Amino acid sequence: MKRPKTRTARRAPDPTTPTEQVAVSAWLRLLRVQALLEKEVRRELGADFTLPQFDVLNQLARRPDGMTFVDLSRQLLVTAGNLTGIVDRLERDRLVRRRPHPADRRAARLTLTPRGWKAVSEAVPVHHETIARMLALLPRRDLAQLRVLLGRLRDRLEHRLTVPARRK
């Protein structure tokens, strides 16, 4: 008896170069590692606040004199519009205070409340310990090398994004 022919799925030819394939693979690994780290940090921080809320609190803790939405958005690499809902919730929970900016009536200056200071001072050590524990899965030498490589990539990307593009 003759077997029916089975069709094997054919893959479309990959138009990318080997360099592009490595770059995309590295990008996907960075995203996956970030997602895994964030998942663990979220678990460790608990339900007190979200990671974006923690990021805002952490940035404000570094600037006791406060920050504007524009300053904060530049630091966090998000739009000021994206911050509005986050800050609204933090303000509602009495973790952040919004005050008129002394030099610009159109802007608000964001500062931590005493309750916000307490929350961030409790959360930062948990965050640092979690990151250290997760990255300790790599030998210290590899971690140091990863830090150098990521720093080099960050510096080159920042330079490239601040230098006007050349016209072709």
Side-chain angles (χ1 to χ4, degrees):
M1 189 167 174
K2 223 177 180 182
R3 284 186 152 182
K5 289 184 181 179
T6 57
R7 295 182 78 178
T8 57
R10 290 187 186 177
R11 285 187 164 179
D14 189 350
T16 58
T17 66
T19 300
E20 288 170 332
Q21 290 170 357
V22 171
V24 170
S25 177
W27 163 256
L28 292 172
R29 286 181 184 194
L30 280 170
L31 291 177
R32 182 71 176 149
V33 167
Q34 178 188 7
L36 291 168
L37 288 169
E38 285 182 353
K39 182 178 180 180
E40 183 64 10
V41 168
R42 266 193 300 275
R43 192 179 69 73
E44 290 291 327
L45 285 177
D48 293 335
F49 33 76
T50 65
L51 274 179
Q53 290 171 333
F54 170 77
D55 289 341
V56 168
L57 294 173
N58 196 25
Q59 287 302 317
L60 291 175
R62 294 174 184 193
R63 299 275 297 276
D65 58 329
M67 298 175 82
T68 65
F69 273 92
V70 172
D71 296 335
L72 195 52
S73 69
R74 285 184 185 139
Q75 213 46 47
L76 295 174
L77 302 176
V78 297
T79 66
N82 288 347
L83 289 173
T84 303
I86 296 166
V87 170
D88 287 348
R89 285 188 295 280
L90 291 171
E91 190 175 35
R92 183 195 66 218
D93 294 340
R94 298 187 327 255
L95 298 169
V96 167
R97 181 180 302 121
R98 213 182 299 217
R99 300 263 167 110
H101 192 286
D104 184 354
R105 292 186 316 157
R106 297 168 300 168
R109 194 139 194 92
L110 305 170
T111 58
L112 292 176
T113 64
R115 185 175 177 164
W117 279 105
K118 183 179 186 307
V120 77
S121 67
E122 291 171 358
V124 166
V126 172
H127 178 263
H128 288 188
E129 291 164 10
T130 303
I131 296 297
R133 185 179 71 250
M134 298 299 291
L135 293 182
L137 296 170
L138 287 177
R140 188 179 180 100
R141 185 175 173 187
D142 290 354
L143 184 57
Q145 184 180 10
L146 176 62
R147 183 178 179 275
V148 167
L149 292 171
L150 289 172
R152 193 179 304 156
L153 178 59
R154 178 208 56 219
D155 293 346
R156 289 179 181 174
L157 287 170
E158 285 177 348
H159 175 74
R160 183 177 187 166
L161 295 174
T162 57
V163 173
R166 291 186 201 144
R167 294 207 171 161
K168 293 180 181 181

